[in-house]
Amino acid sequence: MTSAAADGPELLLVEDTVIIAIDFKDRLQDAGASAVTIALKLSEAQDALLHCDYDGVVLDVKLGSENSLALADALLVRDIPVVFVTGYDTDFLRPASLRSIPVYEKPVSSRDLTDIVHSFDTASVHTRKVALTLPNLFADSVGTKAQSARCS
């Protein structure tokens, strides 16, 4: 059972394993997130980001045959907070531009989930929403422009 905080952060969770994603969502809401949207693929994450504003994004590093490094880079450019979660070695190969992103190992502890939610739940996060326009964020993957909005 979840107890999402009404004023907690709204998060996008990018995780390709359905059962892990559902468990993560419930646990993030128990830790204080007001809403958690699940994206099982990079394309779903991009679509969600084009249509909604999020206070933060939780990214699994490896998504099937893809990885989330390019998406993380695009989010950082837009000043959208990101954390990585991975079942692999936390010293995975990533460019220097992404080394500031916190990395949590799976299985993620309840304490770490609380830390993740609190890292997104600051006054500055709620006041610095950046409208995500397609040409700037995902110009290579989508060809139309959309306005983002809160989705809760």
Side-chain angles (χ1 to χ4, degrees):
M1 182 170 164
T2 61
S3 57
D7 61 346
E10 292 183 32
L11 305 178
L12 176 62
L13 169 61
V14 185
E15 166 62 59
D16 63 331
T17 306
V18 175
I19 195 152
I20 293 173
I22 292 168
D23 177 61
F24 247 134
K25 176 181 178 176
D26 290 344
R27 293 177 66 211
L28 286 165
Q29 288 179 310
D30 286 343
S34 65
V36 178
T37 300
I38 295 172
L40 299 172
K41 302 176 189 174
L42 283 177
S43 59
E44 290 176 14
Q46 291 170 341
D47 187 54
L49 287 160
L50 293 172
H51 296 96
C52 300
D53 286 336
Y54 295 99
D55 296 307
V57 179
V58 179
L59 289 175
D60 187 2
V61 174
K62 186 161 173 46
L63 301 164
S65 63
E66 301 177 301
N67 70 56
S68 62
L69 301 181
L71 177 58
D73 197 44
L75 293 168
L76 286 181
V77 167
R78 287 305 205 195
D79 199 27
I80 298 170
V82 179
V83 299
F84 284 123
V85 293
T86 185
Y88 298 94
D89 186 352
T90 57
D91 292 328
F92 62 92
L93 185 61
R94 58 185 164 151
S97 63
L98 301 180
R99 293 204 180 118
S100 65
I101 296 175
V103 179
Y104 294 87
E105 282 187 71
K106 293 179 187 175
V108 181
S109 71
S110 294
R111 180 179 179 174
D112 284 345
L113 285 170
T114 299
D115 289 347
I116 289 169
V117 170
H118 287 294
S119 75
F120 297 134
D121 191 22
T122 63
S124 63
V125 168
H126 293 289
T127 59
R128 73 166 189 258
K129 294 294 175 210
V130 178
L132 302 176
T133 56
L134 289 181
N136 295 331
L137 186 56
F138 303 117
D140 294 336
S141 60
V142 185
T144 60
K145 185 175 180 177
Q147 289 297 107
S148 59
R150 301 302 287 174
C151 288
S152 61

